[in-house]
Amino acid sequence: TAEGSEDVKGRARDSRIDPHQLYKKERGEGKEHLYMVVIGHVDAGKSTLMGHLLYDIGQVSQRIMHKYEQESRKLGKQSFIYAWVLDETGEERNRGITMDVGRFQFDTKTKSVTLLDAPGHKDFIPNMISGTGQADVALLVVDATRGEFETGFDYGGQTREHALLARSLGVTQLAVAINKLDTVNWSKERFDEIVKKLKAFLKQAGFKESDVTFVPCSGLTGQNLTSKPTENSLAAWYTGPCLLDVIDNFRSPERPISKPFRLSINDIFKGTGAAFCVSGRIETGTLSIGDKVLVCPNRESAVVKSLAIEEVPKTIVFAGDQATVTLSGIEMQNVSVGNILCDPQNPVPVAMRFQARIVVFNVTVPITKGFSVVLHHQSLGEPVIVSKLISQLNKSTGEVLKKHPRFLGNNTSAIVEIQASRPLALELYSECKELGRVMLRVGGVTIAAGLITKIIL
Ligand code: GDP
């Protein structure tokens, strides 16, 4: 056929070439990328801990640290200096200096780690699940202070909520920082007591015991963050890795480069001449110059004229890359933000109805059948209705508690059916984590997050 004679499938999809080999050839043996989210009860010390860690590994200049020191002394809040490190980067982000919105980057021995969301956000849960941000791993911070751990864990605290949410959003590996151990004289008994309680809970929440690591530390004094403890009372009983090494020991996620190509468009802009560009993250697969692509849900064809990452021209881009793609053979007005570029040989499913397993956490009125919400899927915001409440689930085990519940209130987990009024390009969570994740919002407030479990074609 004409298609076969042209080199339209691109080098990467030529069956003789292994895309993983190509990736190695193009990118070398660089550090593996890891996305990490920091979770835990408010005041557990998340900002202080991350700020101190970033300072210790030289991510924060002396000049900036000195400025914080002076400012915090003026306010009589010296302990806040490390937390401010993260606030400053927050400001920088708002001014658009850092390229990646809502992120912070640091390196361990073998990994390049991107922090998702500045920890310490008040309105944390929506942030945790919003945007393109998707965590591979989580750092759970708990306050070891007597009474405080219990507040965060037992009485409607966020410790459980965040851990459950992380797990239901697909995070399987967890580091737990048992923080502020300075307040309990580095007590091993207190550490063991907290570990015991958390272990039982995390197991029930669906984390494998071997995928959870507990680290005693103090974000304020800096003990056991980036090097072995120097505090005798801690060094006397703890011989394990410091927090930075625990992060380094996380398994890296696979770059799904052998899966069919998908890019979710988050920006569209004019290029030179008649051409125009789209940009977004390559979720799966690879894309080469000359490839034919399909723009979904409209199923319009286009051809890749050129490729770039941060304005550096490329001939091929891979899953995990944030890329700019110049398209030809298609009108700019036929492409929208939220559309998905995909492999025409293996396109994304397009449907108006699907099922999702959701967690509800922020509703003022319970969700009932026919409830109107805005579906957020990647960069798309689309009005839809919750057309069926199929079953209510046990949040930890996923077991069905009730079939056809009448309503879903806060802190419930359920399978629901969503009905849109026009076709959407979707993907099962089991096929593609990123494109299989959805959020439901009402009036700008995120009320539920979920995973696509069934697409009804
Ligand atoms: P976040 O809300 O989890 O980000 O918590 P912050 O980092 O803002 O810290 C909350 C409070 O706990 C602040 O007053 C910190 O100074 C204090 N704090 C944080 N880490 C430690 C620690 O390791 N030891 C002690 N004693 N206090 C800490």
Side-chain angles (χ1 to χ4, degrees), residues 40-49 78-80 83 119-121 141 143 145 179-183 217-222:
H41 193 68
V42 60
D43 283 346
K46 300 179 290 296
S47 314
T48 307
L49 182 94
Q78 287 177 39
S79 62
F80 275 171
H121 258 291
V141 181
D143 182 345
T145 311
N179 193 31
K180 304 199 194 180
L181 266 193
D182 55 300
T183 66
C217 62
S218 164
L220 190 61
T221 69

Side-chain angles (χ1 to χ4, degrees), residues 60 95 126 219 321 329 390 453:
V60 185
R95 281 187 263 120
D321 290 341
I390 295 167
T453 51

